[in-house]
Amino acid sequence: MEGQRISYRYKVALHGSFTVTGVDQQPIVVKNISAGGLLAQLGAPLPAPKRVVIKLELPDGQFAAEAICLRSSYEPPYDAAFLFIGAQFEAVDALRSFLVQQAREDAN
């Protein structure tokens, strides 16, 4: 079904960055995140599709993964949707722990 999500999205305000090969690291602010991807606000539009490396600062560690920018707005605020395509086990574990904590907080 179109518009139906596989993973629950958590509204958060995480800071991080993304890097495109050959381009300097750019800051992002995550608006929502799921196990499969995230929506973030960027400082400038990012043409899609574009392969990037995303790094996030989580309360209990860091998360880094390859991702693809699926869509990006070309007017402020510059929002972009990313799909995770590769992450190391430790990064996935850190993200999973963070999402479990978010679920607990959302339930209270």
Side-chain angles (χ1 to χ4, degrees):
M1 265 186 212
E2 188 174 327
Q4 192 165 6
R5 307 256 183 239
I6 294 173
S7 300
Y8 180 78
R9 290 188 177 219
Y10 299 89
K11 291 183 180 180
V12 295
L14 293 172
H15 292 272
S17 63
F18 75 91
T19 305
V20 178
T21 303
V23 178
D24 291 336
Q25 198 170 359
Q26 302 293 316
I28 62 172
V29 177
V30 177
K31 296 173 89 173
N32 68 53
I33 191 169
S34 73
L38 60 84
L39 177 67
Q41 188 171 9
L42 314 178
L46 178 66
K50 182 70 73 175
R51 191 176 188 138
V52 302
V53 174
I54 291 181
K55 294 180 181 178
L56 302 176
E57 295 297 325
L58 302 177
D60 294 332
Q62 293 186 346
F63 173 78
E66 286 186 81
I68 292 185
C69 176
L70 299 175
R71 64 179 168 78
S72 178
S73 60
Y74 287 90
E75 294 182 21
Y78 302 110
D79 289 342
F82 294 93
L83 174 68
F84 300 135
I85 57 172
Q88 299 296 321
F89 176 78
E90 294 82 9
V92 172
D93 195 44
L95 180 60
R96 182 178 56 234
S97 295
F98 172 74
L99 294 176
V100 166
Q101 182 62 34
Q102 284 298 125
R104 288 182 185 138
E105 290 174 12
D106 289 352
N108 292 330

